[in-house]
Amino acid sequence: MNRFQTIVVLTLILFGGAFPALVYISQNGGLGDSAMATLQAVNPAEQLALIVSLFNIKPIYMFLCVAILLTLWDQASASARALFFGLTALLIGELVCGAVFSAFRRELIVSEHIHSFGMALEFSAIAFALIHFLDIRISQTQTRISSLFAFIAAMGILASFLPLAVSPSPSGYHADIFGFPYLYARFEFNQWVESRALPVASIFLFSLALLSTLRAAQSKFTNAAKVFLAAGIGLLAFSILRLSLGALFAERLVWFEFWEETTQLIVISTVTFLLWRFKQEWIQERVALFRGSV
């Protein structure tokens, strides 16, 4: 992409992140209250889970993210560029959350939305990289893949109705972690995004992917269709993940955050393994470059 196209894409992405907030504000007059009044004790198991997630799991997958970004820095393939963008979005969301927590000692609705949007973009970018990789590999064997992706888009439309059946249920509490106050919260706006905005967007994107595939040449799965399909998969996957964790751990949100961090570790570790397995030359090239500069 040239500079103009990059600016247009980034503008559309930023608008996509802000649009749910604008819709919610227009309907409700604001994003809601960030305060939660209930105080709960945190048991030893939750204290251990908090320590492991914050001081072990998160640093590991963030280190892997940085290592992947360095590996992909100047790679020209579409899969590499997508992964680079997605992991950059994830790191920005994490840094915004960390900065807000440092300043306010708790999460805010806006910072949580930015963090969530970064994760959704990460999932979508990973989905695009995988779709693009499969399209290239399978096309080389003369196997038609457009019908497979069209089927996935159609099933994605059906699956997107599942989150729409979930009713937002705000929950949260103040916890005392070794004398340090911490707010665990599932804000109503963030749940509305996960259970309403993202599924509707997924249905729209899956529909565009399906229409793009049906209108394209029989053996051709267009780049536009790949983007639509990947975005639909990423948004839906993030929606289902957050709603599932929220339902499972509504009363003990320490475990919600622990398993979200663990899921991120699994995802980033998988990307790292696939790069090592299929693109060792990229890693070796980057290692050689750093050795030469030392």
Side-chain angles (χ1 to χ4, degrees):
M1 291 189 297
N2 58 39
R3 180 173 297 181
F4 175 76
Q5 291 174 324
T6 301
I7 293 174
V8 170
V9 170
L10 291 177
T11 301
L12 290 175
I13 290 172
L14 292 175
F15 176 75
F19 185 70
L22 297 175
V23 172
Y24 192 87
I25 291 172
S26 68
Q27 294 177 346
N28 299 276
L31 294 179
D33 189 3
S34 296
M36 296 289 175
T38 306
L39 177 65
Q40 290 190 9
V42 178
N43 60 44
E46 291 175 328
Q47 290 178 340
L48 178 61
L50 178 68
I51 292 172
V52 171
S53 62
L54 290 181
F55 298 105
N56 293 276
I57 295 176
K58 184 182 285 290
I60 290 173
Y61 78 69
M62 291 190 71
F63 171 80
L64 291 176
C65 276
V66 173
I68 294 172
L69 289 176
L70 291 175
T71 301
L72 301 176
W73 177 259
D74 55 357
Q75 299 299 332
S77 73
S79 296
R81 293 198 303 269
L83 282 177
F84 186 90
F85 166 78
L87 296 185
T88 300
L90 170 66
L91 286 181
I92 291 174
E94 294 286 352
L95 292 175
V96 168
C97 262
V100 168
F101 182 78
S102 298
F104 298 97
R105 300 302 182 189
R106 62 187 177 93
E107 297 174 353
L108 299 179
I109 295 174
V110 173
S111 64
E112 177 60 19
H113 179 59
I114 293 173
H115 172 251
S116 298
F117 188 53
M119 286 184 62
L121 291 176
E122 171 208 1
F123 286 3
S124 298
I126 292 173
F128 177 87
L130 180 60
I131 290 169
H132 185 72
F133 175 79
L134 290 175
D135 186 33
I136 293 174
R137 287 300 180 97
I138 296 179
S139 296
Q140 290 176 352
T141 63
Q142 304 301 315
T143 302
R144 287 180 56 191
I145 194 172
S146 58
S147 58
L148 171 62
F149 288 150
F151 176 78
I152 292 173
M155 294 302 99
I157 293 173
L158 295 179
S160 297
F161 285 95
L162 187 155
L164 291 173
V166 177
S167 298
S169 179
S171 60
Y173 56 86
H174 289 291
D176 186 0
I177 311 294
F178 301 114
F180 184 85
Y182 189 83
L183 172 67
Y184 287 92
R186 289 277 291 147
F187 301 118
E188 183 172 2
F189 165 69
N190 301 121
Q191 292 189 55
W192 176 84
V193 171
E194 296 159 8
S195 62
R196 297 295 182 269
L198 294 185
V200 169
S202 296
I203 292 172
F204 177 70
L205 290 164
F206 283 132
S207 298
L208 288 177
L210 185 59
L211 290 174
S212 298
T213 303
L214 294 177
R215 294 183 62 180
Q218 286 188 341
S219 60
K220 179 71 172 177
F221 192 66
T222 65
N223 287 329
K226 292 177 186 177
V227 171
F228 296 144
L229 181 60
I233 291 173
L235 298 186
L236 180 60
F238 175 76
S239 170
I240 292 177
L241 171 66
R242 293 296 294 271
L243 292 174
S244 299
L245 292 177
L248 289 170
F249 306 112
E251 302 299 324
R252 313 303 298 186
L253 293 177
V254 172
W255 292 109
F256 174 98
E257 296 207 5
F258 173 82
W259 285 110
E260 181 178 272
E261 298 294 341
T262 302
T263 300
Q264 281 286 31
L265 177 63
I266 293 170
V267 171
I268 300 302
S269 297
T270 301
V271 173
T272 305
F273 172 79
L274 292 176
L275 281 175
W276 173 80
R277 178 64 180 82
F278 294 102
K279 294 295 181 180
Q280 287 191 27
E281 64 275 14
W282 290 0
I283 299 174
Q284 293 169 355
E285 176 185 336
R286 192 61 59 206
V287 170
L289 179 63
F290 276 99
R291 285 179 176 175
S293 62
V294 174

